[in-house]
Amino acid sequence: YAQEKTDISITRQPGILYLASHVMETQKLIEKHAAEDGLKDVTVNWRTFSGGGAQTDALLSGNVDIVNTGTGNLLLLWDRTRGKVKGIITSSAQPVIMVSRDPKIKSLKDIGPSDKIAVPTVGVSTQAILLQMAAGQMFGDSDLKHFDPNTVQLGHPDAMAALANKSHEVASHFSAPPFQYLEIDAGNHIVVNSKDIIGGPLTQATFFTTTAFAEANPVIIKAVREATVEAIDMIKKNPKDALSAYKQVSGDKTDLNTLVKILGQPDMMEFRTDPQGTMKFATHLHKIGTLKTMPAAWTDYYLPESADLKGN
Amino acid sequence: MTSPQIILAADVTTNRQHANVAEVEQRLGSLELILGISAVRKTVLIIVLAVIWQVYASYLDNPLLFPTLSDTLTTLYDRFVDGTLPSRIWTTLQVLITGYVAGTVLAAILTILAINTRIGTDFLETMTAMFNPLPAISLLPLALIWFGLGASSLVFVLIHSVLWAVALNTHAGFLGVSRTLRMVGGNYGLTGLSYVMRILVPAAFPSILTGLKIGWAFAWRTLIAAELVFGVSSGQGGLGWFIFENRNLLDIPAVFAGLLTVIIIGLIVENLVFQTIERHTIQKWGMKE
Amino acid sequence: MTSPQIILAADVTTNRQHANVAEVEQRLGSLELILGISAVRKTVLIIVLAVIWQVYASYLDNPLLFPTLSDTLTTLYDRFVDGTLPSRIWTTLQVLITGYVAGTVLAAILTILAINTRIGTDFLETMTAMFNPLPAISLLPLALIWFGLGASSLVFVLIHSVLWAVALNTHAGFLGVSRTLRMVGGNYGLTGLSYVMRILVPAAFPSILTGLKIGWAFAWRTLIAAELVFGVSSGQGGLGWFIFENRNLLDIPAVFAGLLTVIIIGLIVENLVFQTIERHTIQKWGMKE
Amino acid sequence: MLQAIQQNIDPTAGLPDVKTASEARSLLTVDKVTLRYKTPNLLITATEDVSFSVERSDRFVLLGPSGCGKSTLLKAVGGYMAPVSGSIHINGRPVKKPGADRMMVFQEFDQLLPWKTVLENVMFPLIVARKLPRREAEARAKEYIDKVKLTRATDSYPHTLSGGMKQRVAIARGMAMQPDILLMDEPFAALDALTRRQMQDELLQLWEDTRFTVIFVTHSIAEAIKVSNRILLLSPHPGRVKAEVIDVERARQEDGSAAALERDIHNLLFSESGHRE
Amino acid sequence: MLQAIQQNIDPTAGLPDVKTASEARSLLTVDKVTLRYKTPNLLITATEDVSFSVERSDRFVLLGPSGCGKSTLLKAVGGYMAPVSGSIHINGRPVKKPGADRMMVFQEFDQLLPWKTVLENVMFPLIVARKLPRREAEARAKEYIDKVKLTRATDSYPHTLSGGMKQRVAIARGMAMQPDILLMDEPFAALDALTRRQMQDELLQLWEDTRFTVIFVTHSIAEAIKVSNRILLLSPHPGRVKAEVIDVERARQEDGSAAALERDIHNLLFSESGHRE
Ligand SMILES: Nc1ncnc2c1ncn2[C@@H]1O[C@H](COP(=O)(O)OP(=O)(O)OP(=O)(O)O)[C@@H](O)[C@H]1O
Ligand SMILES: Nc1ncnc2c1ncn2[C@@H]1O[C@H](COP(=O)(O)OP(=O)(O)OP(=O)(O)O)[C@@H](O)[C@H]1O
Ligand SMILES: [Mg+2]
Ligand SMILES: [Mg+2]
């Protein structure tokens, strides 16, 4: 293993969905497993990014070795690089929830032409795609973009502020943890859950890298997988400690008990290593033309080493 | 000869001289002549930059990060023909020009107040120092409260980016107008607005024009960045959105086609609008070499 | 009296006059005197703005959108005391100053070339028209390839934001230097760099200073926006990251504390640095009222 | 020749008397005016305790060494500077701000608006201050441009003119306005002998026609005697009134008297020992 | 008095002869020089086919009506403008660019560097062009500031000076450089009679001491006769050589001859009918 890189960089996006990575970072799990596998003195640089796009650039320019972000980004990169970027392992599959302050809007059927739904990014974010998938289910493939005119782009904090402001024209928000629970706490109600649209969990945090890196550094890849498994174990065993790791990494000053309560929400403990719902996602992306190639199976866009994950 | 002598000059035959002149003026070679035209030199420069782009991008061979010029141009052409880019440009230009004009007008009002009253000066100086460094996103909450989503918030942010640069340059230009010219203006009984418009503005025109150029550039920058922050109700996004969307889709040649569009519009505005203004004002007036 | 007459003036007793003068100069009331000090007026202005903030925010009563000044100040104090803000400011300032200085130096080089050679002029004009409107994100791929993640990429983006504004103002200032002064410089045999440094720079100093002010402001804006894009390695984010982070954590008073910090630093730089420079240069030289 | 140099007379009998007598009806009264410039490091007194009065239709010349405060005095009359002490009244009203009733021809070459042609420069004040209709303003402007022999340069921009030509445009601009008082600061200094003589003649001719009032700064004693009816002599830094010459126009009738007056004034101004600034 | 006005002589015998004879040893030769300004809409010919030569230690005056191209000629000699046709040589080498061997006193009041005090303005060229050590430069600068009677304003910035004071600083600056050729464009126009006489005397005194060469533009025929040994008379627009007056200094010895010469020059310049530009 003499040529393997010992100084690796991984991206980090602060947030509860990425809890496993925060545990891996604070407990130095990757370092530990690499050492166990015979690669000593590995140092892992965790670099914080504000969003997926910048992480993509960082990976493509070779400035980071492994990124940790959503499924959409993986599929896109896999497609555009013609298979030169593939997934390693996933770490979370929590639901995202659309909430509303408007009592008239009980389900997606009640959305009228003038109702506004806040999503993180119009057209491309997971939330926007989910709305399209729902539209497909409701109105058929000819009307996939039914809800697109309703969407407006607002960051989660801004959307939350919008919901809090009774006079604001945006009354609904396709949110994400932890904002969705804070919003529900503040008196807004659930409109739709990603579980209902996908028919199961949808993978969120995914580690992925270039095939070139994976081929040259099998030990690191292995260590990342093992570390993820261990991190998820630790979260399940002791959520409080994991949340402390999150607080340490993100600087979040929220009370630990509140965070524990959030993890206690339905499906919030869906920390799992097998890709969930990704093929459904890919099918939709291919349908709307975002993906040029339709993967035959989820294993197309995961590393061969990861074929044992039993994903879908 | 012990006294002064006046020696008269013979009348000069000017005809010979003129022949001579024509000769002198024709001596420039054609290459020199062609290179003497600024437009030609600029075109050459742009071509050189284009070649560098193409060669460097081919060498890098990382089309997802930095596509070649030819890919970019192909995409640019496609997106133009299919009508995407023209409509995006149109959306952007509408907002841009609204914001730019509004920002410039506000800058004019602020500087007029500043030059006429002491409190106006303090106000302008303080506001500029305070707000100029603030990034556009910081205005987001207020913009949302006041204008909601949509173009008016964008215009608000644009004003923020244009206003201070134009106001700073204009104000500095006003303060630098020569004492004599200001006295001449006072002498004509001009005060307040007419003093500013008829004396200070033309006299400070070089500075004002610089401010307008910088303001224009920053309006572009801000708009493109702000379209991402403020989002769009789908389907009616502008160039900034076009760039962002294609970045998200990792359609990098389209991203660069969008950026190239910005560059081309920048070149057109600079060379057609600003240079024309310059030629008909400060160059004609001998205020600039 | 049919011829001219010369009438001699009696010697004037100046003492009485001087007494008179003293009187005239003491006639200003103390309120007027106090308001005559620009610093006092500016302070009053800032206090008025602060009160407006506080009142408007209390009236809005939506702390998620727009916190009150008092909340903001409390947070500002807390974050200062616990060391967060000082370290963020320090991180940001380091990068900011590096980028600002580098951008200014590059602007100086470009304008010196532009003023001395024709191709330099074309280069500057074309590059400015092309790149000035480009948003910082467009430089991201190149920055990543050339400088990787980290401060040097930030510096690169900062240079982009400072360079064109400073260069445009400086170049316009150079071109506006009076013909006589330029001839004086030539007369002393000054050419190239020493001509620029000893004649053009001081003569165009008002314009240069304006450019530096605008460049400074835009460096701030860009840095704060760019910190989000480039990410941070553990624990060493700057003010921009601080603002972003706290927005995500819904700690809005902290967001505004960050923005307030930007404003305060802006005010300090404007009033301590730029005003001092101005007082010791263009005001002393009579180039500005 | 020179009738009387009143000297060693009771101080109160001299200049002050003349002033007091004329105060009521004078067009312009400058009373014990002290003018100062404030610079960051020091206070410069330009003129001190200067009093004079100008009657309607006077051709009043300020004469004194370089730096004695002539331009400053003119600026104060023009309303650009407030006296530190003393007062300036026009038609009994204190001078507070500049105005087109006192057209000024400045000493500086950059007094033309560079963004206007020669014609537009002369027309501009006629339109904005005298409210003449465009056509009339243009006709009058052209007439005065002819008078200063610049017909050929009518449509030139100021930066293409020679120093003397610029000053002539300023003179045309001032005279075309036919103001209550024309204030001229060394208007002819940049002109050659012939053009200068022509300009002086034009000025006098114009005065014959319209009897306007003019305050004129010049360095040339001969010019002062030629154009003025009254001359105020100022002492060097800070400028104080040294003497006043009245009935100057009488000196022109008989030849030789002008030369004698010139000599007298010259001696008066410069004979003092230790004249240094 | 005036010995001979050579007129109606074979054209080739006049001026060209003088020039040809002196060509080899002349300090400055201006040969058939035509100078033009290009403006966006038209081409202005300032001087046409002007030839003259200046010998070492000449005090050479350019005299002509306003706008005839004196300043332009001086600028061409200074190296700021290239002739459209003809050539200018100094010491046999063509003039290509400005340089400190030809110090120039400009006609404009804004020729001082506003960011330097009077002292620094005078010292600056001594340091950068003459490479004098600071201390020496300061001493020399102070000496010349004294000569122009500005001791009191040594540390003032130019914007606090009167018009005449500014011009005197420029004169001090030019003279302190002791250049090969001093080019002066109406340096004394803004000065009062006494200061002007003092400056003229200083110039002559300096010339006695160092025998430098000076080309001098003036509007005053009397001044020309006082300071020069040769006068070039230019015709109005475009400037052509009308005549040259040599041995001017002879006119000063016997009184009256200067006056006569002044009258002759005056007639020569201005007698032409229809003198208009
Ligand atoms: N803007 C100014 N700031 C400070 N001092 C000034 C200013 N303008 C003039 N002075 C000073 O005031 C005095 C009088 O200047 P002024 O221009 O009135 O003289 P002047 O009589 O017109 O001289 P000149 O004949 O040389 O033009 C001078 O000593 C000068 O230094
Ligand atoms: N920068 C310029 N651009 C175009 N034309 C000019 C320029 N400078 C001078 N001229 C023209 O050239 C001619 C000669 O000007 P110049 O300044 O040499 O005259 P001058 O003899 O010095 O006059 P004066 O005694 O009035 O200063 C004038 O007709 C003038 O209009
Ligand atoms: Mg003066
Ligand atoms: Mg001239």
Side-chain angles (χ1 to χ4, degrees), chain C residues 1-14 16-18 20-21 24-25 179 283-284, chain D residues 1-4 6-7 11 32 36 48-49 84-85 159 241-247 250-251 268:
Chain C
M1 290 218 283
T2 50
S3 333
Q5 251 192 342
I6 299 181
I7 307 163
L8 287 185
D11 267 1
V12 190
T13 45
T14 44
R16 193 179 43 82
Q17 278 313 113
H18 276 142
N20 196 357
V21 171
V24 168
E25 286 192 342
R179 206 187 292 161
Q283 257 174 38
K284 192 166 81 178
Chain D
M1 332 248 147
L2 192 61
Q3 205 71 336
Q6 302 181 311
Q7 230 161 344
K32 297 211 178 70
R36 291 227 173 84
E48 197 167 56
D49 206 23
V84 174
S85 70
H159 72 107
V241 176
K242 202 167 206 174
E244 188 181 328
V245 190
I246 56 172
D247 296 327
R250 303 250 162 85
L268 192 61

Side-chain angles (χ1 to χ4, degrees), chain C residues 14-225:
Chain C
T14 44
N15 288 349
R16 193 179 43 82
Q17 278 313 113
H18 276 142
N20 196 357
V21 171
E23 201 179 87
V24 168
E25 286 192 342
Q26 273 163 14
R27 222 172 276 159
L28 291 162
S30 58
L31 180 69
E32 242 175 297
L33 259 182
I34 288 172
L35 281 179
I37 303 164
S38 147
V40 173
R41 272 174 295 140
K42 285 186 179 172
T43 312
V44 169
L45 207 70
I46 290 172
I47 292 173
V48 168
L49 287 175
V51 169
I52 291 175
W53 177 352
Q54 177 72 17
V55 170
Y56 183 65
S58 307
Y59 156 80
L60 263 183
D61 194 23
N62 191 342
L64 271 186
L65 222 45
F66 194 59
T68 58
L69 175 62
S70 49
D71 284 357
T72 307
L73 285 177
T74 318
T75 316
L76 183 70
Y77 176 80
D78 290 347
R79 298 301 171 92
F80 238 96
V81 170
D82 74 8
T84 323
L85 268 178
S87 92
R88 298 309 178 89
I89 293 172
W90 178 232
T91 311
T92 297
L93 275 186
Q94 273 176 307
V95 178
L96 188 74
I97 289 169
T98 316
Y100 184 68
V101 170
T104 310
V105 169
L106 257 178
I109 293 172
L110 275 192
T111 39
I112 288 170
L113 288 179
I115 206 72
N116 281 310
T117 63
R118 220 165 44 168
I119 188 76
T121 315
D122 293 324
F123 185 75
L124 180 65
E125 282 177 1
T126 311
M127 297 296 275
T128 308
M130 280 168 66
F131 291 122
N132 204 8
L134 280 188
I137 52 148
S138 60
L139 294 180
L140 183 66
L142 288 178
L144 282 176
I145 296 172
W146 292 340
F147 304 104
L149 297 162
S152 15
S153 275
L154 279 178
V155 168
F156 177 71
V157 176
L158 276 184
I159 288 175
H160 165 70
S161 78
V162 174
L163 175 57
W164 312 116
V166 176
L168 249 175
N169 258 307
T170 308
H171 192 59
F174 285 178
L175 292 179
V177 171
S178 94
R179 206 187 292 161
T180 317
L181 281 186
R182 273 182 287 130
M183 291 204 283
V184 168
N187 198 183
Y188 295 172
L190 298 173
T191 50
L193 190 63
S194 61
Y195 171 66
V196 173
M197 299 312 288
R198 286 160 177 276
I199 303 290
L200 294 186
V201 169
F205 209 69
S207 287
I208 295 176
L209 210 59
T210 310
L212 288 177
K213 278 189 201 174
I214 293 179
W216 170 252
F218 282 108
W220 263 110
R221 283 197 199 180
T222 308
L223 183 59
I224 291 202

Side-chain angles (χ1 to χ4, degrees), chain B residues 1-14 16-18 20-21 24-25 179 283-284, chain E residues 1-4 6-7 11 32 36 48-49 84-85 159 241-247 250-251 268:
Chain B
M1 290 217 282
T2 50
S3 331
Q5 251 192 340
I6 300 183
I7 307 165
L8 287 185
D11 266 3
V12 190
T13 45
T14 44
R16 192 178 45 80
Q17 279 311 115
H18 277 142
N20 197 359
V21 170
V24 168
E25 287 193 341
R179 207 186 293 159
Q283 258 174 37
K284 191 164 83 178
Chain E
M1 329 234 158
L2 191 61
Q3 206 70 337
Q6 302 182 311
Q7 230 160 345
K32 299 211 176 67
R36 291 226 174 84
E48 196 167 57
D49 205 25
V84 175
S85 71
H159 72 107
V241 176
K242 201 171 209 174
E244 188 180 329
V245 189
I246 58 172
D247 296 327
R250 303 249 164 88
L268 192 61

Side-chain angles (χ1 to χ4, degrees), chain A residues 132-146 283-284 287-288:
Chain A
Q132 290 178 353
M133 293 171 79
Q137 289 158 15
M138 290 162 70
F139 310 106
D141 280 0
S142 57
D143 203 9
L144 284 176
K145 308 217 163 167
H146 182 84
T283 313
H284 177 79
K287 222 187 288 176
I288 61 170

